[in-house]
Amino acid sequence: MITPALHAAVETIMREASEHAILPHYQKLAASQIDAKAPDDVVTVADKQAEALLTDRLSALLPEAAVVGEEAAFADPAVMERLKERLCWTVDPLDGTNNFAYGKAPFGVLVALADKGETIGGWILDCLTGRFCRTDLGGGAWIDGERITARTTGQKPPVAAISTIFLDDGAREKVLTHIAPHYTLVDIPRCAAEQYPRLVNGTNDISVFNRTLPWDHAAGVLFLNEAGGKAARPDGSAYRVDEYERRDLIGASSPALWDAFAEVVAKLA
């Protein structure tokens, strides 16, 4: 299903969205071009224009595949039912929108293709640097045309990027009291298109995600796993795009680091 020609076509489409719908608005947004979707969550004209372009091009590329875009799902939650179809694209047209809206990096584009709920292809574009990550099930992980293997930071204690933004007070206290002593905690980039590459390139060892919507995570989970790291639910089960109501996900630059962190988390249950 994921052929070299399909990889090349998806990359072309994503770079087109970045060049024509996203970057022209970077650091040029008017207040009227930024809307609040929820507290601490915004959408911009660039998100909407990029999603329209990506949806149109990806639909033409594989007419048999449904498309679930972040903004389409926000406008009509019934769109999420498409994730249960046999073939389905997931699209985050502008990942890291809050960063983008404030005129700062990182931000990117995320696209994945799933077959009956299982992710079979993933693509991650960093709009500013042009870095392009691609992967397919059983085909390894690649950055800018070179195959890559995940590496740890090598630091002790390991480096953990943990978001507490969407945690309640009790969960946040558990992280600070029981997890922080065993890891070096660092800020998250608020951009999955940046966070997953950090787990592969030796910048971070661990990441924890509370919200696990498919457009944010499908591409990155497959990319990390194919690179030799590990991303899975805390109970060890695989991430699936059609289980979009489930929460919590652990990513690690090696299976050993994943196991050690999951053991710590299990003791908090």
Side-chain angles (χ1 to χ4, degrees):
M1 171 63 71
I2 310 296
T3 64
L6 185 63
H7 275 304
V10 174
E11 179 176 357
T12 296
I13 291 168
M14 292 172 70
R15 290 191 183 279
E16 182 183 354
S18 177
E19 180 181 353
H20 296 291
I22 297 173
L23 291 178
H25 296 290
Y26 184 49
Q27 298 181 334
K28 297 178 182 177
L29 289 169
S32 61
Q33 295 176 313
I34 306 172
D35 296 315
K37 295 199 298 186
D40 203 33
D41 189 11
V42 300
V43 61
T44 73
V45 63
D47 297 75
K48 297 173 184 178
Q49 290 180 359
E51 183 161 310
L53 187 156
L54 289 160
T55 300
D56 180 65
R57 301 289 195 275
L58 293 171
S59 296
L61 183 62
L62 279 184
E64 66 271 31
V67 179
V68 174
E70 178 179 5
E71 305 315 324
F74 177 75
D76 179 9
V79 168
M80 298 294 281
E81 289 296 312
R82 298 175 188 170
L83 293 164
K84 300 176 182 178
E85 297 186 22
R86 183 184 172 191
L87 282 177
C88 181
W89 297 104
T90 62
V91 175
D92 191 335
L94 178 49
D95 184 56
T97 298
N98 279 52
N99 297 335
F100 182 84
Y102 284 102
K104 64 181 184 179
F107 54 89
V109 182
L110 292 161
V111 172
L113 181 65
D115 185 8
K116 292 177 285 190
E118 180 182 32
T119 308
I120 59 173
W123 301 268
I124 306 171
L125 173 65
D126 183 312
C127 295
L128 288 177
T129 69
R131 181 190 63 203
F132 190 76
C133 306
R134 65 173 174 85
T135 186
D136 59 83
L137 189 61
W142 304 74
I143 296 180
D144 295 333
E146 294 188 8
R147 189 160 186 165
I148 189 166
T149 299
R151 63 182 187 272
T152 70
T153 66
Q155 296 187 37
K156 295 186 182 300
V159 177
I162 300 178
S163 171
T164 60
I165 294 172
F166 300 107
L167 298 181
D168 59 34
D169 290 341
R172 186 177 296 108
E173 181 62 26
K174 285 183 178 180
V175 168
L176 297 177
T177 302
H178 300 287
I179 295 178
H182 304 286
Y183 294 88
T184 299
L185 298 189
V186 296
D187 288 338
I188 63 167
R190 294 204 66 178
C191 176
E194 173 63 19
Q195 189 59 59
Y196 282 101
R198 288 186 182 185
L199 289 169
V200 170
N201 67 22
T203 302
N204 295 159
D205 292 304
I206 298 287
S207 285
V208 179
F209 306 95
N210 181 241
R211 295 199 310 174
T212 61
L213 293 165
W215 45 78
D216 286 323
H217 296 283
V221 166
L222 183 61
F223 177 71
L224 178 57
N225 285 331
E226 286 291 327
K230 182 174 180 179
R233 299 293 186 181
D235 63 3
S237 60
Y239 179 85
R240 294 179 55 87
V241 303
D242 55 359
E243 296 177 345
Y244 48 83
E245 293 182 347
R246 291 187 65 180
R247 302 176 75 89
D248 299 327
L249 180 68
I250 300 171
S253 55
S254 76
L257 283 168
W258 192 98
D259 291 343
F261 188 84
E263 184 176 348
V264 172
V265 171
K267 292 178 181 178
L268 303 181

